[in-house]
């Protein structure tokens, strides 16, 4: 069974034939929403709305530990996380879809590990490649089959939010090598890694990052919503093909 975490612009998965919903509890509290089980083209999928079904949970308050724990407890292996981003690199323009391959974490104060129990010995998880290459490859293959353009690779910079960045912060991030900026990629990816889940992300550029092009003086969120709505049609198309490729 494939797990899909939906973000802003994807609080529901229209192509999912729902069989049931399950409210879960974990040692870390409740996930953002009940898990929705169903099928896409006859393949089993579980869907989780990262910000809750009514999109009420801001990025810094998402219970990432409970979300990933709940999925892990279903004994599945693969997680695809959909997330919206601001585009920094010049080819990451609004509406473009990417499958990032690296992360820089600028978040703080979030519950970012399962290894904070001091009674246990110290554990360091390898995070050289933060995303699962197999799952990334399948997403790219799914996009090719779906005839959707996606950018292969890119550095995702995770900011704390909920406020957007200043232009100077974006300039600094660009100097760091960040290509796209979002608020939910971390600690989600690291927690998935700690649990041994094969996690990859598909990102949708909702807007130019602060200080760039049409966002030179401000980010117009009304425009970003319209961009996301349109681009998610392509993402859903990719996901429909990705489930076909979800063979072990
Ligand atoms: N910054 C941070 N997160 C985002 C943005 C942005 O510009 N756009 C969508 N998510």
């Amino acid at each position: 069974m494939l797990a899909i975490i939906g973000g802003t612009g994807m609080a529901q998965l229209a192509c999912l034939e729902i069989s049931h919903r399950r409210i879960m509890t974990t040692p870390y509290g409740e996930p953002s929403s009940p898990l929705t089980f169903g099928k896409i083209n006859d393949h089993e999928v579980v869907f989780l709305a990262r910000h809750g079904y009514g999109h009420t949970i801001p990025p810094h308050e998402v219970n990432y530990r409970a979300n990933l724990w709940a999925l892990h407890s279903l004994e599945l292996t693969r997680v695809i996380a959909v997330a919206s981003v601001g585009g920094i690199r010049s080819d990451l323009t609004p509406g473009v879809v990417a499958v990032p391959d690296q992360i820089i974490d600028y978040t703080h104060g979030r519950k970012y590990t399962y290894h904070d129990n001091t009674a246990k010995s110290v554990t360091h998880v390898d995070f050289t490649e933060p995303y699962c290459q197999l799952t990334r490859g399948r997403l790219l293959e799914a996009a090719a089959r779906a005839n959707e353009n996606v950018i292969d690779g890119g550095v995702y910079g995770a900011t704390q939010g909920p406020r957007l960045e200043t232009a100077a912060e974006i300039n600094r991030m660009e100097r760091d090598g960040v290509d796209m900026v979002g608020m939910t990629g971390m600690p989600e990816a690291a927690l998935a890694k700690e649990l041994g889940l094969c996690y990859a992300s598909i990102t949708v550029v909702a807007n130019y990052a602060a200080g760039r092009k049409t966002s030179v003086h401000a980010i117009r969120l009304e425009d970003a919503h319209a961009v996301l709505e349109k681009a998610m049609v392509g993402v859903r198309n990719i996901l429909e093909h990705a489930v076909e490729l979800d063979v072990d």
Side-chain angles (χ1 to χ4, degrees):
M1 181 166 60
L2 179 71
I4 298 173
I5 301 178
T8 305
M10 193 179 271
Q12 283 168 41
L13 201 51
C15 48
L16 184 67
E17 270 174 58
I18 299 172
S19 64
H20 61 286
R21 291 204 165 92
R22 196 193 301 170
I23 296 170
M24 310 265 299
T25 49
T26 77
Y28 303 94
E30 282 188 16
S32 300
S33 55
L35 301 189
T36 306
F37 294 80
K39 285 190 174 172
I40 298 178
N41 300 340
D42 239 27
H43 296 272
E44 286 192 33
V45 170
V46 57
F47 177 79
L48 171 61
R50 185 189 287 116
H51 300 284
Y53 284 119
H55 204 278
T56 50
I57 310 169
H60 63 294
E61 281 180 0
V62 169
N63 191 340
Y64 296 97
R65 293 200 299 184
N67 286 353
L68 275 299
W69 191 271
L71 296 177
H72 175 66
S73 70
L74 301 173
E75 292 181 3
L76 49 79
T77 45
R78 250 172 292 290
V79 180
I80 294 175
V82 183
S84 71
V85 293
I88 300 178
R89 203 171 76 194
S90 61
D91 57 341
L92 289 165
T93 56
V96 165
V97 176
V99 179
D101 62 351
Q102 277 297 334
I103 295 176
I104 299 181
D105 187 8
Y106 300 90
T107 65
H108 48 86
R110 300 184 179 188
K111 297 221 183 319
Y112 56 87
T113 181
Y114 295 108
H115 299 303
D116 54 2
N117 178 350
T118 47
K120 287 206 205 120
S121 63
V122 180
T123 309
H124 302 286
V125 74
D126 178 71
F127 206 41
T128 312
E129 290 188 337
Y131 298 110
C132 166
Q133 292 295 12
L134 179 71
T135 311
R136 284 190 70 255
R138 288 196 181 155
L139 276 172
L140 295 170
E141 171 64 23
R145 291 191 187 188
N147 241 331
E148 299 285 347
N149 283 328
V150 289
I151 291 187
D152 175 1
V155 179
Y156 177 106
T159 54
Q160 175 68 2
R163 67 162 178 83
L164 291 154
E165 300 73 36
T166 66
E169 284 169 336
I170 293 297
N171 290 340
R172 183 184 77 158
M173 291 175 83
E174 182 168 48
R175 290 194 295 276
D176 284 353
V178 173
D179 299 313
M180 62 194 96
V181 55
M183 299 175 188
T184 56
M186 285 294 284
E188 199 171 84
L191 292 166
K193 195 72 141 187
E194 285 189 0
L195 292 174
L197 291 163
C198 302
Y199 171 98
S201 184
I202 182 161
T203 57
V204 183
V205 181
N207 54 278
Y208 287 106
R212 303 292 151 102
K213 307 268 173 134
T214 54
S215 304
V216 66
H217 295 302
I219 294 173
R220 287 170 50 92
L221 287 176
E222 328 71 271
D223 295 351
H225 287 307
V227 168
L228 271 185
E229 208 167 297
K230 199 159 158 230
M232 285 302 172
V233 176
V235 172
R236 274 192 282 272
N237 190 9
I238 295 169
L239 292 176
E240 284 182 39
H241 286 80
V243 293
E244 305 280 349
L245 294 169
D246 187 54
V247 283
D248 284 320

